[in-house]
Amino acid sequence: MYRSHNCGELRESDIEKEVTLSGWVQKTRDKGFVAWVDLRDRYGITQLVFDQDRTSETLLEQARNLGREFVIQVKGQVIERASKNPNLPTGNIEVLVTALTVLNQSETPPFTIENETDGGEDLRMKFRYLDIRRNPVKENLIFRSKVAMEVRKYLSDAGFIEVETPYLIKSTPEGARDFVVPSRMNEGQFYALPQSPQTFKQLLMVGGLDKYFQIVKCFRDEDLRADRQPEFTQIDCEMAFVEQEDILDAFEGLTKYLLKEINGVDIEKFPRMTYDAAMKKYGNDKPDIRFGMEFGELNSVAQHKAFNVFNNAELVVGIAVPGANSYTRKEIDKLTDWVKRPQVGALGMVYCRCNDDGGYKSSVDKFYDQDDLAQWAQVTGAKPGDLICVLSGDTNKVRAQLSALRMELAERLGLRDPKEFAPLWVIDFPLLELDEETGHYHAMHHPFTAPKPGQLSLLETDPGAVRANAYDLVLNGNEIGGGSIRIHDKQMQAVMFKHLGFTPEAAKAQFGFLMDAFQYGAPPHGGIAFGLDRLVAILGGQETIRDFIAFPKNNSGRDVMIDAPATIDDAQLTELGLRLNVPLE
């Protein structure tokens, strides 16, 4: 028996018990005639004591020779601790050691295994197995496990059936690039790793399973950010015989349940906002509604003077920043420089101070009088003490720029409290999105999304006006889930493929199996997929998903711990029918 107890469970009620503990040496302290060792495992830390009077000189010498992260087993008696540590659950006791066995020695770790470590991110990713020993990472992974278990419990209790779908599938256009896998037994042919189980879960509805879910790995070969990984995990769900309202009710329930069980937070209302309203009021389709700073469109009150920057703009739009009239000119200039960065792309920023005496002072006083600026304040909802920030330009670009500024200012002003949760349904997305480079439409979500009832005919006359029977669930400015009511009729699906530029032959080659299935009584169905990594991070008070993944990739999509991706040898390439150094024509 390696242990009778773990390192986090002994208390004063255990005094005088004989115990066996195993774990890692956190640190040692030697006072000559006595030594203490902090022993750590997943559950906590227990202090061990060795002294030449109560144990033996031999044991004391063994303790002195222990290094950090040695794996040891000890036997001993629980005793009351003379200098109690109120910061440790085990801080009132210690174990007087009577036997010590070194189970494994350790090299000196490349960084300290402490809550606050001296290791940089790259180093810790290279030695991720050591990083997992630190409490912040360990607790994040335990937290993730708890969330996943609660998801399974809720959905199982609601009648959902967990079904595994294949990982080796056919490459299909779903927006991002596929990761492809060569087939040795079918030379020149490739599997793809799934971007989602989309078609399979629809086939399960055709199969009559009615309610499906799966916590599943998905793969997308796309550019990475802090909240993106090439492999990620979805809570994938589908339901038959449902309309949009049924889906929203079901997964509002799941989200409420998780917020209550995981965070102890009761949320009653999940407001709903159309895509068009979200873009107009917040400049993006996943707005953070924990704070205000809603957009005020200023064209009607700012394009009547000789200021051509505004006159020539498609949209002039501003926000009122609460209390920011206290900003110095230098701070405002820095804010202007921030929006002019390439990542944001604004050409400049106009500002207007709302003074406590009710007057206004702007950077364009030459063109606008006090009455004009008062109208700016009215449109943006600015109050005395606020600062109005105004951008102008092409509508889509300027909305994105002001949205970025709004979020940056919210961070600076401490308005994004991670312990506050503000969910939001965004609905009525465009069905199709115009690619400005090619002039062609593509599906905003995926080709299987149904248009809103009664709008199919608009595909012929005004495809950009068609709204999708689709919805996203937003939490604290992050999309945590998205889905739609699906097309379940073969003829309607054929019309959709046509408008997405598929020839009948291409549609059959790519999706013939799904079209065939629709001939055998496909029920009305719809679903949603939550990003588990992102959901867990937000519930955990953070937004970077990498902190909640056991073995994440870096921003280049590499696993620096195992050094992947890597080359494979010529024999493997030959076996797979692939060749090295063959130039592309």
Side-chain angles (χ1 to χ4, degrees):
M1 182 174 68
Y2 280 112
R3 55 187 178 185
S4 60
H5 298 77
N6 63 55
C7 293
E9 69 177 298
L10 295 174
R11 301 291 187 271
E12 285 180 291
S13 58
D14 298 302
I15 288 173
E16 297 188 359
K17 281 184 182 178
E18 297 294 326
V19 298
T20 303
L21 301 178
S22 293
W24 287 266
V25 173
Q26 177 79 11
K27 58 185 175 184
T28 60
R29 301 179 298 284
D30 184 4
K31 293 292 186 181
F33 63 91
V34 62
W36 294 272
V37 173
D38 287 347
L39 187 66
R40 182 195 74 244
D41 65 8
R42 167 188 148 186
Y43 306 95
I45 290 176
T46 296
Q47 180 171 283
L48 313 177
V49 60
F50 302 76
D51 72 51
Q52 58 193 20
D53 295 330
R54 292 181 293 175
T55 53
S56 71
E57 182 67 41
T58 302
L59 271 176
L60 182 58
E61 189 60 29
Q62 279 185 279
R64 288 176 179 144
N65 290 324
L66 294 174
R68 280 181 177 263
E69 301 306 310
F70 275 38
V71 186
I72 65 172
Q73 179 193 51
V74 298
K75 297 181 179 180
Q77 185 182 51
V78 182
I79 63 174
E80 186 174 2
R81 185 164 167 170
S83 297
K84 294 181 172 58
N85 183 349
N87 298 318
L88 278 181
T90 59
N92 289 343
I93 59 92
E94 59 190 359
V95 174
L96 180 63
V97 177
T98 57
L100 165 65
T101 303
V102 175
L103 301 175
N104 217 330
Q105 296 186 6
S106 173
E107 297 287 333
T108 301
F111 53 87
T112 55
I113 313 297
E114 302 277 2
N115 289 358
E116 299 294 330
T117 183
D118 56 357
E121 186 173 9
D122 291 343
L123 182 65
R124 288 186 288 109
M125 286 189 71
K126 184 174 182 180
F127 295 92
R128 183 66 168 180
Y129 46 86
L130 296 179
D131 203 27
I132 289 171
R133 294 181 190 173
R134 296 192 312 112
N135 282 332
V137 181
K138 175 195 71 179
E139 288 166 3
N140 282 349
L141 297 180
I142 294 171
F143 182 81
R144 180 190 177 105
S145 173
K146 181 180 178 182
V147 173
M149 290 182 71
E150 293 295 345
V151 167
R152 281 194 165 95
K153 180 178 184 298
Y154 182 90
L155 292 175
S156 296
D157 289 348
F160 284 78
I161 300 167
E162 186 167 13
V163 182
E164 295 179 59
T165 53
Y167 279 162
L168 295 176
I169 67 168
K170 184 178 186 178
S171 181
T172 57
E174 283 197 43
R177 296 182 183 89
D178 288 326
F179 283 102
V180 294
V181 181
S183 170
R184 178 183 60 83
M185 298 179 67
N186 301 275
E187 187 172 339
Q189 295 184 314
F190 297 82
Y191 297 106
L193 300 179
Q195 295 184 34
S196 79
Q198 180 61 45
T199 53
F200 288 100
K201 66 179 179 179
Q202 292 190 244
L203 292 171
L204 288 171
M205 296 304 100
V206 177
L209 284 188
D210 191 68
K211 289 182 176 181
Y212 141 93
F213 87 98
Q214 183 182 190
I215 296 180
V216 59
K217 280 282 188 187
C218 301
F219 308 85
R220 291 179 187 170
D221 187 5
E222 59 185 351
D223 295 337
L224 305 176
R225 299 196 299 267
D227 61 343
R228 294 274 178 90
Q229 288 274 298
E231 53 180 311
F232 57 96
T233 305
Q234 282 187 180
I235 307 166
D236 199 58
C237 308
E238 198 80 1
M239 302 169 71
F241 302 109
V242 290
E243 296 176 336
Q244 178 176 294
E245 198 65 30
D246 301 307
I247 302 286
L248 269 55
D249 285 346
F251 293 98
E252 209 168 282
L254 171 61
T255 310
K256 286 179 179 178
Y257 174 81
L258 292 175
L259 286 167
K260 178 65 174 177
E261 291 297 314
I262 302 297
N263 298 89
V265 174
D266 286 305
I267 302 286
E268 288 302 319
K269 293 185 177 180
F270 281 52
R272 299 180 186 182
M273 184 181 298
T274 66
Y275 170 87
D276 289 340
M279 296 303 294
K280 186 171 183 176
K281 293 169 77 172
Y282 299 102
N284 69 65
D285 58 5
K286 48 182 184 295
D288 191 336
I289 58 170
R290 285 174 293 180
F291 57 94
M293 288 196 277
E294 291 185 11
F295 290 9
E297 296 193 352
L298 300 169
N299 290 44
S300 62
V301 296
Q303 290 186 321
H304 63 294
K305 295 294 179 75
F307 188 50
N308 287 331
V309 172
F310 284 176
N311 293 341
N312 297 330
E314 187 177 6
L315 177 65
V316 182
V317 61
I319 53 174
V321 186
N325 189 31
S326 61
Y327 281 16
T328 65
R329 175 60 187 270
K330 187 175 181 181
E331 287 174 315
I332 295 174
D333 287 345
K334 285 184 177 179
L335 207 56
T336 303
D337 291 339
W338 190 90
V339 300
K340 291 166 72 173
R341 298 178 314 144
Q343 299 95 317
V344 180
L347 296 177
M349 183 182 83
V350 169
Y351 69 88
C352 174
R353 295 182 180 276
C354 302
N355 296 325
D356 292 337
D357 63 5
Y360 303 95
K361 177 66 178 174
S362 82
S363 56
V364 286
D365 280 346
K366 179 179 176 181
F367 301 98
Y368 298 94
D369 59 28
Q370 290 292 295
D371 289 340
D372 294 324
L373 300 177
Q375 291 185 71
W376 293 16
Q378 183 179 4
V379 172
T380 59
K383 298 177 177 60
D386 292 351
L387 179 74
I388 303 172
C389 297
V390 182
L391 302 181
S392 62
D394 294 341
T395 297
N396 291 339
K397 289 181 180 178
V398 79
R399 281 176 173 168
Q401 291 160 0
L402 191 59
S403 175
L405 177 61
R406 176 179 179 268
M407 295 295 281
E408 175 66 17
L409 285 165
E411 287 286 352
R412 296 185 185 190
L413 295 169
L415 300 177
R416 303 191 71 211
D417 182 357
K419 294 181 181 178
E420 180 186 353
F421 296 95
L424 169 73
W425 286 108
V426 178
I427 59 174
D428 294 354
F429 284 82
L431 182 68
L432 303 176
E433 199 169 26
L434 183 65
D435 186 325
E436 293 182 1
E437 290 186 9
T438 65
H440 296 141
Y441 283 100
H442 60 84
M444 193 164 190
H445 283 76
H446 54 61
F448 317 109
T449 297
K452 296 285 281 188
Q455 295 202 359
L456 184 64
S457 60
L458 281 175
L459 281 173
E460 296 291 348
T461 58
D462 191 2
V466 182
R467 287 299 178 254
N469 208 342
Y471 33 82
D472 279 358
L473 182 55
V474 176
L475 185 61
N476 294 0
N478 292 270
E479 177 203 333
I480 60 166
S484 66
I485 299 299
R486 324 300 186 189
I487 296 170
H488 68 280
D489 176 80
K490 181 179 179 180
Q491 281 70 38
M492 184 184 289
Q493 188 65 75
V495 170
M496 178 60 69
F497 285 145
K498 171 190 168 187
H499 284 280
L500 291 174
F502 287 88
T503 64
E505 295 76 20
K508 183 172 180 58
Q510 289 279 356
F511 302 109
F513 63 93
L514 185 65
M515 304 283 275
D516 289 345
F518 283 177
Q519 297 178 117
Y520 294 95
H525 59 281
I528 193 169
F530 286 76
L532 179 65
D533 310 298
R534 192 173 300 168
L535 174 62
V536 169
I538 294 169
L539 294 178
Q542 301 179 44
E543 291 190 359
T544 304
I545 66 173
R546 194 161 56 198
D547 296 336
F548 291 84
I549 297 173
F551 299 102
K553 308 290 189 291
N554 68 11
N555 286 344
S556 300
R558 294 196 64 82
D559 186 324
V560 295
M561 183 183 68
I562 64 172
D563 194 23
T567 57
I568 59 177
D569 62 37
D570 288 350
Q572 284 180 285
L573 289 168
T574 300
E575 195 172 39
L576 293 169
L578 303 174
R579 297 291 181 267
L580 275 178
N581 299 323
V582 177
L584 296 175
E585 295 182 359

